[in-house]
Amino acid sequence: MANIPHGGVLKDLVARDAPIQAQLVAEAATLRDLRQLCDLELIINGGFSPLEGFMDEKNYNSVVETMRLADRTLFPIPVTLDVSEAERDELDIQPGRRLTLRDPRDDQALAILTVSDVYRPDKAKEAEKVMGADDIAHPSVAYLRNRAKDLYVGGSIQAIQLPTYHDYVDLRFTPSELRAHFKKMAWRKVVAFQTRNPMHRAHRELTVRAARQRLANVLIHPVVGMTKPGDVDHYTRVRVYQAIMPKYPNGMAHLALLPLAMRMAGPREAVWHAIIRKNYVPASAQSTSKGPGKNSRGEDFYGPYDAQTLVTEFKDELAIEMVPFQMMTYIPSLEEYQPIDEVPKGVATLNISGTELRHRLRSGAAIPEWFSYAEVVKALRESYPPRTKQGFVCLYNSGKDSIARALQVTLNQQGGRSVSLLLGETVRSELSSELGFSAEDRHKNIQRIAFVSAELSRAGAAVIAAPIAPYERSRAAAREHVVSSAGPGGNFFLIHVATPLEVAEKTDRKGVYARARRGEIKGFTGIDDVYEPPKAADITVDISQQTIPEIVHSIVLLLETNGLI
């Protein structure tokens, strides 16, 4: 028997509002902009049914406390639109105000939000209740604490259009489209496998086994929205999924992409995924995916069966079955995979962990055929070359040009990759000429350098950035941006130049320290502006105690230790 969507009706707002699309487009030209994408797309295409907008304070509080909307419908994750106080004032956001929500990539109007309320969330409670801990080691708590703005805006949405994509268009299905596809194919029962990681032979065996046990077809439904920082980029992953699809029997499996911004909220996330799956698939079971990893104490955020237990608790209300993730292992004597808990004691098995796989990709070591398919390995190697071909970023915190220039010459002599040097004064004149030296302008300058560095490093360059970076938050944000957005080039090293202030003043041939002492330069780091020593430098050097060649050699050794040269 086919499942009805969660809440009883699929809330396809694009179809609902199609008759008034022209009117909405005309109105949108007069409205101010707010931008959000992944959540908005799943609201307007029905993936988040029964939601018809971003949660108001009443529904938000109810979901945080009880995992239910105010009308008692099960919904475990807050779906909210965050704004700053400055945006609230600038856009005059208040109840009754109508605002255009635009795609930040192409500025196209996607929907109109009619504001119901503006409220200040309790982020500590949200982290504790939804993610299970107010611990910034959890990527979603880090996002909540460091990136989400202070106010939430609730309101109903009228849809203008879905976002436009230029990648994998044939694999992007709305819930209505996927339901229609399964109806056309006469698929009455579907095992859906959601993942944010590449797939290998074990995953193929796992999904086929689940389908065989339930006499079902297979939906591979990977997340291509926001995932965990450091995950394999979605372009590479989709190429991997496309390579593995022909390994299924013809007609057994279908690949469709899910534009979800994951929260990695463990048990609550699993229930949320079940609801999304119910909206996409008429009759389904689902397999779970991995959690966010370790907390700040080095322990798993969630127990191995927490997600399965919570979904099972609501199975009647969800009308969907949880398929437990079975650890598969390879048995050489049989040349096949089996669930690890079904292997007789004493039988030899083989496995490669995620850590070992990443090591083999970095080093260029062989990845055996029993673990993955040659086509999959080829796709991964194209995007993740060996460490000696990957880009990296060295950020100096003091703007010490002599070290940076010497390191550039040494790396050019080493060869193997291009070397880019971003000196503080050069960046100031070419990229940030309109910025001053206030704390906020200094922060913006470092983030611009991080952006440029990440783009160069992703392309395989060695980047030496030597601005004055006096603030811990700026350095931490730069590291996070490079690591999360530079792909295989997300190798970041902070060099702490810990030279005493008096030495810097004594060797200052330009006289800028003297001018700062006389008050001619305001906001000068170390004189009348704070300098925050790095808390997590990868290496610390001091030109009052070391020569420039010694410092450069220590940095080269750091890069060599990390396999980059």
Side-chain angles (χ1 to χ4, degrees), residues 46-96:
F48 281 170
S49 293
L51 300 190
E52 296 183 77
F54 289 101
M55 291 180 183
D56 58 21
E57 186 171 18
K58 183 179 180 181
N59 279 293
Y60 165 79
N61 286 332
S62 181
V63 166
V64 169
E65 290 284 358
T66 70
M67 300 201 303
R68 295 183 180 276
L69 299 169
D71 66 4
R72 308 307 298 158
T73 302
L74 181 65
F75 206 95
I77 300 292
V79 178
T80 56
L81 179 64
D82 60 290
V83 299
S84 66
E85 293 186 8
E87 287 171 325
R88 177 198 59 190
D89 297 340
E90 179 187 353
L91 303 179
D92 189 27
I93 302 175
Q94 58 181 302

Short mmCIF file of all heavy atoms in Angstrom, two decimals, residues 46-96:
data_model
loop_
_atom_site.label_atom_id
_atom_site.label_comp_id
_atom_site.label_asym_id
_atom_site.label_seq_id
_atom_site.Cartn_x
_atom_site.Cartn_y
_atom_site.Cartn_z
N GLY A 46 7.93 20.47 -1.63
CA GLY A 46 7.15 19.49 -0.88
C GLY A 46 7.97 18.50 -0.09
O GLY A 46 7.42 17.66 0.62
N GLY A 47 9.30 18.56 -0.20
CA GLY A 47 10.14 17.62 0.52
C GLY A 47 10.00 17.74 2.03
O GLY A 47 10.21 16.77 2.75
N PHE A 48 9.67 18.96 2.51
CA PHE A 48 9.48 19.19 3.93
C PHE A 48 7.99 19.19 4.34
O PHE A 48 7.64 19.73 5.39
CB PHE A 48 10.10 20.53 4.35
CG PHE A 48 11.60 20.50 4.53
CD1 PHE A 48 12.30 21.70 4.69
CD2 PHE A 48 12.32 19.32 4.54
CE1 PHE A 48 13.68 21.70 4.85
CE2 PHE A 48 13.69 19.31 4.69
CZ PHE A 48 14.37 20.51 4.85
N SER A 49 7.12 18.62 3.50
CA SER A 49 5.70 18.55 3.89
C SER A 49 5.57 17.99 5.30
O SER A 49 6.30 17.05 5.66
CB SER A 49 4.93 17.65 2.91
OG SER A 49 4.89 18.23 1.62
N PRO A 50 4.71 18.59 6.13
CA PRO A 50 3.64 19.53 5.80
C PRO A 50 4.01 21.01 5.92
O PRO A 50 3.11 21.86 5.95
CB PRO A 50 2.59 19.18 6.85
CG PRO A 50 3.39 18.82 8.05
CD PRO A 50 4.60 18.09 7.52
N LEU A 51 5.29 21.37 5.98
CA LEU A 51 5.64 22.78 6.12
C LEU A 51 5.24 23.56 4.87
O LEU A 51 5.39 23.08 3.74
CB LEU A 51 7.15 22.95 6.35
CG LEU A 51 7.77 22.30 7.59
CD1 LEU A 51 9.22 22.79 7.76
CD2 LEU A 51 6.97 22.60 8.84
N GLU A 52 4.77 24.79 5.09
CA GLU A 52 4.46 25.71 4.00
C GLU A 52 5.19 27.03 4.17
O GLU A 52 4.83 28.04 3.56
CB GLU A 52 2.95 25.96 3.92
CG GLU A 52 2.14 24.72 3.57
CD GLU A 52 0.67 24.99 3.42
OE1 GLU A 52 0.26 25.54 2.36
OE2 GLU A 52 -0.09 24.70 4.36
N GLY A 53 6.22 27.02 5.01
CA GLY A 53 7.00 28.23 5.24
C GLY A 53 8.04 27.97 6.31
O GLY A 53 8.22 26.84 6.77
N PHE A 54 8.77 29.01 6.68
CA PHE A 54 9.73 28.91 7.77
C PHE A 54 9.00 29.01 9.10
O PHE A 54 8.03 29.75 9.24
CB PHE A 54 10.79 30.01 7.64
CG PHE A 54 11.74 29.79 6.49
CD1 PHE A 54 11.58 30.48 5.30
CD2 PHE A 54 12.77 28.87 6.60
CE1 PHE A 54 12.45 30.27 4.24
CE2 PHE A 54 13.65 28.65 5.54
CZ PHE A 54 13.48 29.35 4.36
N MET A 55 9.47 28.25 10.08
CA MET A 55 8.74 28.11 11.34
C MET A 55 8.65 29.42 12.12
O MET A 55 9.66 30.13 12.28
CB MET A 55 9.42 27.05 12.21
CG MET A 55 9.29 25.64 11.67
SD MET A 55 10.11 24.43 12.75
CE MET A 55 9.85 22.93 11.78
N ASP A 56 7.44 29.71 12.60
CA ASP A 56 7.27 30.82 13.52
C ASP A 56 7.70 30.39 14.92
O ASP A 56 8.09 29.25 15.14
CB ASP A 56 5.82 31.33 13.50
CG ASP A 56 4.80 30.25 13.87
OD1 ASP A 56 5.18 29.24 14.51
OD2 ASP A 56 3.62 30.42 13.53
N GLU A 57 7.66 31.33 15.87
CA GLU A 57 8.18 31.04 17.20
C GLU A 57 7.43 29.91 17.88
O GLU A 57 8.03 29.07 18.56
CB GLU A 57 8.14 32.30 18.06
CG GLU A 57 8.80 32.12 19.42
CD GLU A 57 8.95 33.41 20.19
OE1 GLU A 57 8.24 34.38 19.85
OE2 GLU A 57 9.77 33.47 21.12
N LYS A 58 6.11 29.86 17.70
CA LYS A 58 5.31 28.83 18.34
C LYS A 58 5.71 27.44 17.84
O LYS A 58 5.91 26.52 18.64
CB LYS A 58 3.82 29.09 18.09
CG LYS A 58 2.88 28.10 18.76
CD LYS A 58 1.42 28.47 18.47
CE LYS A 58 0.47 27.49 19.15
NZ LYS A 58 -0.96 27.82 18.84
N ASN A 59 5.83 27.30 16.52
CA ASN A 59 6.21 25.99 15.97
C ASN A 59 7.66 25.67 16.28
O ASN A 59 8.00 24.51 16.57
CB ASN A 59 5.97 25.99 14.45
CG ASN A 59 4.53 25.72 14.09
OD1 ASN A 59 4.02 24.63 14.32
ND2 ASN A 59 3.87 26.73 13.54
N TYR A 60 8.53 26.67 16.23
CA TYR A 60 9.95 26.45 16.55
C TYR A 60 10.10 25.91 17.96
O TYR A 60 10.78 24.90 18.18
CB TYR A 60 10.72 27.76 16.38
CG TYR A 60 12.09 27.76 17.01
CD1 TYR A 60 13.17 27.13 16.39
CD2 TYR A 60 12.31 28.38 18.24
CE1 TYR A 60 14.43 27.12 16.97
CE2 TYR A 60 13.57 28.37 18.84
CZ TYR A 60 14.62 27.74 18.20
OH TYR A 60 15.86 27.73 18.79
N ASN A 61 9.50 26.57 18.92
CA ASN A 61 9.62 26.13 20.32
C ASN A 61 9.05 24.73 20.51
O ASN A 61 9.60 23.90 21.24
CB ASN A 61 8.92 27.11 21.25
CG ASN A 61 9.71 28.41 21.41
OD1 ASN A 61 10.92 28.41 21.30
ND2 ASN A 61 9.02 29.50 21.66
N SER A 62 7.93 24.45 19.84
CA SER A 62 7.31 23.13 19.97
C SER A 62 8.21 22.04 19.40
O SER A 62 8.38 20.97 20.01
CB SER A 62 5.95 23.13 19.26
OG SER A 62 5.31 21.87 19.40
N VAL A 63 8.83 22.32 18.25
CA VAL A 63 9.72 21.34 17.62
C VAL A 63 10.96 21.10 18.48
O VAL A 63 11.38 19.96 18.70
CB VAL A 63 10.11 21.80 16.20
CG1 VAL A 63 11.29 20.99 15.66
CG2 VAL A 63 8.92 21.68 15.26
N VAL A 64 11.55 22.17 19.00
CA VAL A 64 12.73 22.02 19.84
C VAL A 64 12.42 21.19 21.08
O VAL A 64 13.17 20.29 21.46
CB VAL A 64 13.29 23.41 20.24
CG1 VAL A 64 14.34 23.28 21.34
CG2 VAL A 64 13.89 24.11 19.02
N GLU A 65 11.29 21.46 21.71
CA GLU A 65 10.94 20.80 22.97
C GLU A 65 10.37 19.40 22.79
O GLU A 65 10.67 18.48 23.55
CB GLU A 65 9.93 21.65 23.74
CG GLU A 65 10.49 22.94 24.30
CD GLU A 65 11.34 22.73 25.54
OE1 GLU A 65 11.46 21.57 26.00
OE2 GLU A 65 11.90 23.71 26.05
N THR A 66 9.53 19.20 21.76
CA THR A 66 8.73 17.98 21.67
C THR A 66 8.91 17.19 20.38
O THR A 66 8.33 16.12 20.24
CB THR A 66 7.23 18.31 21.82
OG1 THR A 66 6.78 19.01 20.64
CG2 THR A 66 6.98 19.17 23.06
N MET A 67 9.68 17.72 19.41
CA MET A 67 9.82 17.10 18.08
C MET A 67 8.51 17.14 17.30
O MET A 67 8.35 16.38 16.33
CB MET A 67 10.33 15.65 18.17
CG MET A 67 11.68 15.51 18.81
SD MET A 67 12.53 13.97 18.39
CE MET A 67 11.33 12.78 18.93
N ARG A 68 7.61 18.00 17.67
CA ARG A 68 6.32 18.10 16.98
C ARG A 68 5.99 19.55 16.70
O ARG A 68 6.36 20.45 17.47
CB ARG A 68 5.20 17.47 17.80
CG ARG A 68 5.37 15.96 17.97
CD ARG A 68 4.21 15.34 18.74
NE ARG A 68 4.40 13.90 18.88
CZ ARG A 68 4.06 13.01 17.95
NH1 ARG A 68 3.48 13.42 16.83
NH2 ARG A 68 4.27 11.72 18.15
N LEU A 69 5.27 19.77 15.58
CA LEU A 69 4.75 21.09 15.30
C LEU A 69 3.67 21.44 16.31
O LEU A 69 3.22 20.58 17.08
CB LEU A 69 4.19 21.14 13.87
CG LEU A 69 5.18 20.86 12.73
CD1 LEU A 69 4.46 20.67 11.41
CD2 LEU A 69 6.22 21.98 12.63
N ALA A 70 3.23 22.69 16.30
CA ALA A 70 2.22 23.11 17.27
C ALA A 70 0.92 22.34 17.12
O ALA A 70 0.18 22.18 18.11
CB ALA A 70 1.96 24.61 17.11
N ASP A 71 0.62 21.82 15.92
CA ASP A 71 -0.59 21.02 15.72
C ASP A 71 -0.37 19.54 16.05
O ASP A 71 -1.22 18.71 15.76
CB ASP A 71 -1.13 21.18 14.30
CG ASP A 71 -0.18 20.59 13.24
OD1 ASP A 71 0.86 19.99 13.61
OD2 ASP A 71 -0.47 20.74 12.04
N ARG A 72 0.79 19.22 16.64
CA ARG A 72 1.17 17.88 17.10
C ARG A 72 1.67 16.96 15.98
O ARG A 72 1.93 15.77 16.22
CB ARG A 72 0.04 17.18 17.87
CG ARG A 72 -0.53 18.01 19.00
CD ARG A 72 0.54 18.51 19.95
NE ARG A 72 1.26 17.41 20.59
CZ ARG A 72 2.49 17.53 21.12
NH1 ARG A 72 3.15 18.67 21.02
NH2 ARG A 72 3.06 16.48 21.70
N THR A 73 1.83 17.46 14.77
CA THR A 73 2.41 16.65 13.70
C THR A 73 3.89 16.43 13.97
O THR A 73 4.63 17.37 14.30
CB THR A 73 2.25 17.34 12.34
OG1 THR A 73 0.86 17.56 12.09
CG2 THR A 73 2.82 16.48 11.21
N LEU A 74 4.35 15.20 13.82
CA LEU A 74 5.76 14.86 14.07
C LEU A 74 6.65 15.61 13.09
O LEU A 74 6.48 15.54 11.87
CB LEU A 74 5.95 13.35 13.91
CG LEU A 74 7.36 12.80 14.15
CD1 LEU A 74 7.77 12.99 15.61
CD2 LEU A 74 7.42 11.31 13.76
N PHE A 75 7.63 16.36 13.63
CA PHE A 75 8.63 17.04 12.82
C PHE A 75 9.77 17.41 13.74
O PHE A 75 9.65 18.32 14.57
CB PHE A 75 8.06 18.30 12.14
CG PHE A 75 8.78 18.66 10.87
CD1 PHE A 75 8.31 18.24 9.64
CD2 PHE A 75 9.96 19.40 10.91
CE1 PHE A 75 8.98 18.55 8.46
CE2 PHE A 75 10.65 19.71 9.75
CZ PHE A 75 10.15 19.29 8.52
N PRO A 76 10.93 16.73 13.67
CA PRO A 76 11.93 16.81 14.73
C PRO A 76 12.99 17.91 14.59
O PRO A 76 13.74 18.16 15.53
CB PRO A 76 12.60 15.44 14.66
CG PRO A 76 12.52 15.08 13.21
CD PRO A 76 11.22 15.65 12.71
N ILE A 77 13.09 18.56 13.42
CA ILE A 77 14.16 19.52 13.16
C ILE A 77 13.59 20.91 12.90
O ILE A 77 12.69 21.06 12.06
CB ILE A 77 15.01 19.08 11.96
CG1 ILE A 77 15.65 17.72 12.21
CG2 ILE A 77 16.08 20.13 11.64
CD1 ILE A 77 16.72 17.69 13.28
N PRO A 78 14.09 21.95 13.59
CA PRO A 78 13.64 23.31 13.28
C PRO A 78 14.09 23.71 11.87
O PRO A 78 15.25 23.50 11.50
CB PRO A 78 14.33 24.17 14.33
CG PRO A 78 14.85 23.24 15.37
CD PRO A 78 15.07 21.92 14.69
N VAL A 79 13.19 24.29 11.10
CA VAL A 79 13.51 24.82 9.78
C VAL A 79 13.25 26.32 9.85
O VAL A 79 12.11 26.76 9.86
CB VAL A 79 12.67 24.15 8.68
CG1 VAL A 79 12.99 24.76 7.31
CG2 VAL A 79 12.93 22.64 8.65
N THR A 80 14.33 27.09 9.92
CA THR A 80 14.21 28.50 10.27
C THR A 80 14.98 29.38 9.29
O THR A 80 15.92 28.93 8.64
CB THR A 80 14.76 28.75 11.68
OG1 THR A 80 16.11 28.27 11.75
CG2 THR A 80 13.93 28.01 12.72
N LEU A 81 14.60 30.64 9.23
CA LEU A 81 15.27 31.64 8.41
C LEU A 81 15.90 32.65 9.35
O LEU A 81 15.20 33.35 10.09
CB LEU A 81 14.27 32.32 7.49
CG LEU A 81 14.82 33.42 6.57
CD1 LEU A 81 15.83 32.85 5.59
CD2 LEU A 81 13.69 34.11 5.82
N ASP A 82 17.23 32.73 9.36
CA ASP A 82 17.92 33.60 10.30
C ASP A 82 18.32 34.92 9.66
O ASP A 82 18.73 34.95 8.49
CB ASP A 82 19.14 32.89 10.90
CG ASP A 82 20.15 32.49 9.84
OD1 ASP A 82 19.84 31.56 9.05
OD2 ASP A 82 21.23 33.10 9.78
N VAL A 83 18.20 36.00 10.41
CA VAL A 83 18.60 37.33 9.96
C VAL A 83 19.31 38.03 11.12
O VAL A 83 19.13 37.68 12.29
CB VAL A 83 17.42 38.19 9.49
CG1 VAL A 83 16.70 37.54 8.31
CG2 VAL A 83 16.45 38.46 10.63
N SER A 84 20.09 39.03 10.80
CA SER A 84 20.74 39.83 11.83
C SER A 84 19.83 40.99 12.22
O SER A 84 18.85 41.31 11.53
CB SER A 84 22.06 40.39 11.30
OG SER A 84 21.82 41.31 10.25
N GLU A 85 20.14 41.60 13.34
CA GLU A 85 19.37 42.77 13.76
C GLU A 85 19.50 43.88 12.73
O GLU A 85 18.53 44.60 12.46
CB GLU A 85 19.83 43.24 15.14
CG GLU A 85 19.52 42.25 16.25
CD GLU A 85 19.86 42.81 17.63
OE1 GLU A 85 20.19 44.00 17.72
OE2 GLU A 85 19.78 42.05 18.61
N ALA A 86 20.69 44.03 12.14
CA ALA A 86 20.88 45.06 11.11
C ALA A 86 20.00 44.79 9.90
O ALA A 86 19.40 45.72 9.33
CB ALA A 86 22.35 45.11 10.70
N GLU A 87 19.89 43.52 9.48
CA GLU A 87 19.01 43.17 8.35
C GLU A 87 17.55 43.42 8.70
O GLU A 87 16.78 43.91 7.87
CB GLU A 87 19.23 41.71 7.96
CG GLU A 87 20.55 41.46 7.26
CD GLU A 87 20.84 39.99 7.07
OE1 GLU A 87 20.47 39.18 7.95
OE2 GLU A 87 21.45 39.64 6.05
N ARG A 88 17.18 43.08 9.92
CA ARG A 88 15.80 43.35 10.34
C ARG A 88 15.48 44.83 10.21
O ARG A 88 14.42 45.22 9.68
CB ARG A 88 15.58 42.91 11.78
CG ARG A 88 14.20 43.22 12.34
CD ARG A 88 14.16 43.16 13.85
NE ARG A 88 15.12 44.11 14.45
CZ ARG A 88 15.42 44.12 15.74
NH1 ARG A 88 14.86 43.25 16.58
NH2 ARG A 88 16.28 45.00 16.21
N ASP A 89 16.38 45.68 10.69
CA ASP A 89 16.12 47.12 10.65
C ASP A 89 16.19 47.65 9.22
O ASP A 89 15.33 48.45 8.80
CB ASP A 89 17.14 47.85 11.53
CG ASP A 89 17.03 47.46 13.00
OD1 ASP A 89 15.95 46.95 13.39
OD2 ASP A 89 18.01 47.66 13.74
N GLU A 90 17.19 47.21 8.47
CA GLU A 90 17.36 47.71 7.10
C GLU A 90 16.19 47.33 6.21
O GLU A 90 15.72 48.13 5.39
CB GLU A 90 18.66 47.16 6.52
CG GLU A 90 18.93 47.61 5.09
CD GLU A 90 20.13 46.94 4.48
OE1 GLU A 90 20.85 46.22 5.21
OE2 GLU A 90 20.35 47.12 3.27
N LEU A 91 15.72 46.08 6.35
CA LEU A 91 14.63 45.59 5.49
C LEU A 91 13.25 45.82 6.10
O LEU A 91 12.24 45.44 5.49
CB LEU A 91 14.82 44.09 5.23
CG LEU A 91 16.15 43.68 4.59
CD1 LEU A 91 16.22 42.17 4.42
CD2 LEU A 91 16.35 44.38 3.26
N ASP A 92 13.23 46.42 7.28
CA ASP A 92 11.97 46.68 7.98
C ASP A 92 11.14 45.40 8.11
O ASP A 92 9.96 45.35 7.75
CB ASP A 92 11.16 47.76 7.24
CG ASP A 92 9.94 48.22 8.03
OD1 ASP A 92 9.98 48.12 9.28
OD2 ASP A 92 8.95 48.65 7.41
N ILE A 93 11.81 44.35 8.61
CA ILE A 93 11.14 43.06 8.74
C ILE A 93 10.24 43.08 9.98
O ILE A 93 10.71 43.23 11.09
CB ILE A 93 12.16 41.91 8.85
CG1 ILE A 93 13.08 41.91 7.63
CG2 ILE A 93 11.45 40.56 8.98
CD1 ILE A 93 14.20 40.89 7.70
N GLN A 94 8.96 42.92 9.75
CA GLN A 94 7.98 42.92 10.82
C GLN A 94 6.76 42.14 10.35
O GLN A 94 6.61 41.88 9.15
CB GLN A 94 7.59 44.35 11.19
CG GLN A 94 7.03 45.15 10.02
CD GLN A 94 6.68 46.57 10.42
OE1 GLN A 94 5.88 46.77 11.32
NE2 GLN A 94 7.29 47.55 9.75
N PRO A 95 5.87 41.73 11.26
CA PRO A 95 4.70 40.96 10.84
C PRO A 95 3.91 41.68 9.76
O PRO A 95 3.68 42.89 9.82
CB PRO A 95 3.89 40.84 12.14
CG PRO A 95 4.93 40.87 13.22
CD PRO A 95 5.97 41.84 12.73
N GLY A 96 3.55 40.90 8.72
CA GLY A 96 2.80 41.44 7.60
C GLY A 96 3.67 41.86 6.44
O GLY A 96 3.18 42.00 5.30
#
